[in-house]
Amino acid sequence: MSRRPGFPARLEPFAGAPKPRGNLPAAAPAAAPGGIGLDSQAVRLRMVQKLAGQGIADVQVLAAMSLVQRHRFVDSALVNQAYEDTSLPIGLGQTISKPNVVARMIELLLGGRREASGKLGRVLEIGTGCGYQAAVLSRVAGEVYSIERLRSLHEKARENLRTFRLANVHLLFGDGMAGYAKGAPYAGIIAAAGGDAVPAAWLDQLAVGGRIVAPTSMPGGMQALVVIERTMTELKQTVLETVHFVPLKSGIA
Ligand code: SAH
């Protein structure tokens, strides 16, 4: 399992649109593929206004959603849909969740908690996928450990995240069902894939005061968002709304 990517330790919160590559004439506009160019900030702000209208209230989550350039995580053919409230394919049958679900889950993960730094402490994400949610998490958490079981997606995420230079994101290749003991205990564990039950390893690796947010199968076959909180004495579970996530699978591929 690789530990941390060699990102330079510098954060570029308002990186703007990607720089033109290749031999473009000097006057060419700096546009991303598919026409989202320098105004992608405006498109994201509209997305964030919509999220606020849908009930996302945590300003730190809204700020993080406004900063991360979602269009840089999807295939060029899908760039124009990057800021719509829709899930999008990222290859190998996997999907990037719609912005509303990403924001909702991170808001639940934070649960109003903050360390003195103004951020949540260490967070474990299961299912890196294209790396988008890891980038959003990096704005609200001190350290993000994100694990992916499909090598090619792990590598894609590494490539996608390279230019963002997020020193606090650690991409791992492995089976997230076992968590990642070396980074434990976690203030938050967030799953982007749904299993039949929350794996015991995640419960073991959760700090006192920590929270797990995970899509989990319910009796009858539906999937719901489950929040588990560890107090000094118990694990408290809350079952929330129905969701549709790709399955949590064991092993690597
Ligand atoms: N957060 C991602 C969404 C990825 S979709 C993003 O922003 O793009 C869910 C991902 O979970 C898939 O890539 C899938 O391969 C991965 N996954 C499923 N089971 C897993 C497991 N046991 N360990 C690690 N990753 C897993």
Coordinates of all heavy atoms in Angstrom, one line a residue, residues 109 113 122 184-190 200-213 228-231 234-236:
L109 N -20.8 14.4 8.4 CA -19.5 14.0 9.0 C -19.0 15.0 10.0 O -18.6 14.7 11.1 CB -18.5 13.8 7.9 CG -17.2 13.1 8.3 CD1 -17.5 11.6 8.5 CD2 -16.1 13.3 7.2
R113 N -18.9 19.7 14.5 CA -17.6 19.6 15.3 C -16.5 20.3 14.6 O -16.3 20.3 13.4 CB -17.3 18.1 15.4 CG -18.3 17.3 16.2 CD -17.9 15.8 16.1 NE -17.9 15.3 14.8 CZ -17.1 14.3 14.4 NH1 -16.2 13.8 15.2 NH2 -17.1 13.9 13.1
R122 N -8.5 14.0 11.7 CA -8.2 13.0 10.7 C -9.4 12.4 10.2 O -10.3 12.0 11.0 CB -7.2 12.0 11.2 CG -5.7 12.4 11.2 CD -4.8 11.3 11.3 NE -5.1 10.4 12.5 CZ -4.7 10.7 13.7 NH1 -4.0 11.8 13.9 NH2 -5.0 9.9 14.7
A184 N -5.4 5.7 12.3 CA -6.4 5.7 13.3 C -5.9 6.3 14.6 O -4.7 6.2 14.8 CB -6.9 4.3 13.5
P185 N -6.7 6.8 15.5 CA -8.2 6.9 15.4 C -8.6 8.1 14.5 O -7.9 9.1 14.5 CB -8.6 7.0 16.8 CG -7.5 7.8 17.5 CD -6.2 7.3 16.8
Y186 N -9.8 7.9 13.9 CA -10.3 9.0 13.0 C -11.4 9.8 13.7 O -12.3 9.2 14.3 CB -10.8 8.3 11.7 CG -9.7 7.6 10.9 CD1 -9.6 6.3 11.0 CD2 -8.8 8.4 10.2 CE1 -8.6 5.6 10.3 CE2 -7.8 7.8 9.5 CZ -7.7 6.4 9.5 OH -6.7 5.8 8.9
A187 N -11.4 11.0 13.4 CA -12.5 11.9 13.9 C -13.7 11.6 13.0 O -14.9 11.8 13.4 CB -12.1 13.4 13.8
G188 N -13.5 11.2 11.7 CA -14.5 10.9 10.8 C -14.2 9.8 9.8 O -13.0 9.7 9.4
I189 N -15.1 9.0 9.5 CA -15.0 7.9 8.5 C -16.2 8.1 7.5 O -17.3 8.1 8.0 CB -14.9 6.5 9.1 CG1 -13.7 6.4 10.0 CG2 -14.8 5.5 8.0 CD1 -13.5 5.1 10.7
I190 N -15.9 8.2 6.2 CA -16.9 8.4 5.3 C -16.8 7.4 4.1 O -15.7 7.3 3.6 CB -16.9 9.9 4.8 CG1 -18.1 10.2 3.8 CG2 -15.6 10.3 4.1 CD1 -18.3 11.8 3.6
A200 N -16.5 -3.9 11.0 CA -16.0 -3.8 12.4 C -14.7 -2.9 12.5 O -14.6 -2.2 13.4 CB -15.8 -5.2 13.0
A201 N -13.9 -3.0 11.4 CA -12.6 -2.3 11.5 C -12.9 -0.8 11.6 O -12.1 0.0 12.2 CB -11.8 -2.6 10.2
W202 N -13.9 -0.3 10.9 CA -14.2 1.1 10.9 C -14.6 1.6 12.3 O -14.2 2.6 12.8 CB -15.3 1.5 10.0 CG -15.1 1.1 8.5 CD1 -14.0 0.5 8.0 CD2 -16.0 1.3 7.4 NE1 -14.1 0.3 6.7 CE2 -15.3 0.8 6.3 CE3 -17.2 1.9 7.3 CZ2 -15.9 0.8 5.0 CZ3 -17.8 1.9 6.0 CH2 -17.1 1.4 4.9
L203 N -15.4 0.7 13.0 CA -15.8 1.0 14.4 C -14.6 1.1 15.3 O -14.4 2.0 16.1 CB -16.8 0.0 14.9 CG -18.1 -0.2 14.0 CD1 -19.0 -1.3 14.5 CD2 -18.9 1.1 14.1
D204 N -13.7 0.1 15.1 CA -12.5 0.0 15.9 C -11.6 1.2 15.7 O -10.9 1.7 16.6 CB -11.6 -1.2 15.5 CG -12.3 -2.5 15.9 OD1 -13.3 -2.5 16.7 OD2 -11.9 -3.6 15.3
Q205 N -11.6 1.8 14.5 CA -10.7 2.9 14.2 C -11.3 4.3 14.4 O -10.7 5.3 14.0 CB -10.2 2.7 12.7 CG -9.3 1.5 12.6 CD -9.0 1.1 11.1 OE1 -9.1 2.0 10.2 NE2 -8.6 -0.1 10.9
L206 N -12.5 4.3 14.9 CA -13.2 5.6 15.2 C -12.8 6.1 16.5 O -12.9 5.4 17.5 CB -14.7 5.3 15.1 CG -15.6 6.5 15.1 CD1 -15.4 7.4 13.8 CD2 -17.1 6.1 15.1
A207 N -12.4 7.4 16.6 CA -12.1 8.0 17.9 C -13.3 8.2 18.7 O -14.4 8.3 18.2 CB -11.4 9.4 17.6
V208 N -13.1 8.4 20.0 CA -14.3 8.8 20.9 C -14.7 10.2 20.4 O -13.8 11.0 20.2 CB -13.8 8.8 22.4 CG1 -14.9 9.4 23.2 CG2 -13.5 7.3 22.8
G209 N -15.9 10.4 20.2 CA -16.4 11.6 19.7 C -16.4 11.6 18.1 O -16.9 12.6 17.5
G210 N -16.0 10.5 17.5 CA -15.9 10.5 16.1 C -17.2 10.0 15.5 O -18.1 9.5 16.2
R211 N -17.3 10.2 14.1 CA -18.5 9.8 13.4 C -18.2 9.1 12.2 O -17.3 9.4 11.4 CB -19.2 11.1 12.9 CG -20.1 11.8 14.0 CD -20.7 13.0 13.3 NE -21.9 13.3 14.1 CZ -23.0 13.9 13.7 NH1 -23.1 14.1 12.4 NH2 -24.0 14.2 14.5
I212 N -19.1 8.1 11.9 CA -19.0 7.4 10.6 C -20.3 7.8 9.8 O -21.3 7.9 10.4 CB -19.0 5.9 10.8 CG1 -17.8 5.4 11.5 CG2 -19.2 5.1 9.4 CD1 -17.8 3.9 11.9
V213 N -20.1 8.1 8.5 CA -21.2 8.3 7.6 C -21.1 7.3 6.5 O -20.1 7.4 5.7 CB -21.3 9.8 7.1 CG1 -22.5 10.0 6.2 CG2 -21.3 10.8 8.2
I228 N -23.0 6.8 12.5 CA -22.6 6.2 13.8 C -21.7 7.1 14.6 O -20.7 7.6 14.0 CB -22.0 4.8 13.6 CG1 -22.9 3.8 12.9 CG2 -21.5 4.2 14.9 CD1 -22.3 2.5 12.5
E229 N -22.1 7.4 15.8 CA -21.2 8.2 16.7 C -20.7 7.4 17.8 O -21.4 6.6 18.4 CB -22.1 9.3 17.3 CG -22.5 10.4 16.3 CD -23.5 11.4 16.9 OE1 -24.7 11.0 16.9 OE2 -23.0 12.4 17.4
R230 N -19.4 7.6 18.1 CA -18.8 6.9 19.3 C -18.8 7.9 20.4 O -18.1 8.9 20.3 CB -17.4 6.4 18.9 CG -16.8 5.6 20.1 CD -15.4 5.2 19.9 NE -15.2 4.1 19.0 CZ -15.5 2.8 19.4 NH1 -16.0 2.6 20.6 NH2 -15.3 1.8 18.6
T231 N -19.4 7.5 21.5 CA -19.3 8.3 22.7 C -18.4 7.6 23.7 O -17.9 6.5 23.3 CB -20.7 8.5 23.4 OG1 -21.1 7.2 23.9 CG2 -21.8 9.0 22.4
E234 N -20.7 4.3 24.3 CA -21.5 3.5 23.4 C -21.3 4.0 21.9 O -20.7 5.0 21.7 CB -23.0 3.6 23.7 CG -23.5 5.1 23.7 CD -25.0 5.2 23.8 OE1 -25.7 4.3 23.8 OE2 -25.4 6.4 23.9
L235 N -21.9 3.2 21.0 CA -22.0 3.6 19.6 C -23.4 3.9 19.3 O -24.3 3.0 19.6 CB -21.5 2.4 18.7 CG -20.0 2.1 18.8 CD1 -19.8 0.7 18.1 CD2 -19.2 3.1 18.0
K236 N -23.7 5.1 18.9 CA -25.1 5.5 18.6 C -25.3 5.5 17.1 O -24.6 6.2 16.4 CB -25.3 6.9 19.1 CG -25.7 7.0 20.6 CD -26.4 8.3 20.9 CE -25.6 9.5 20.6 NZ -26.0 10.7 21.3

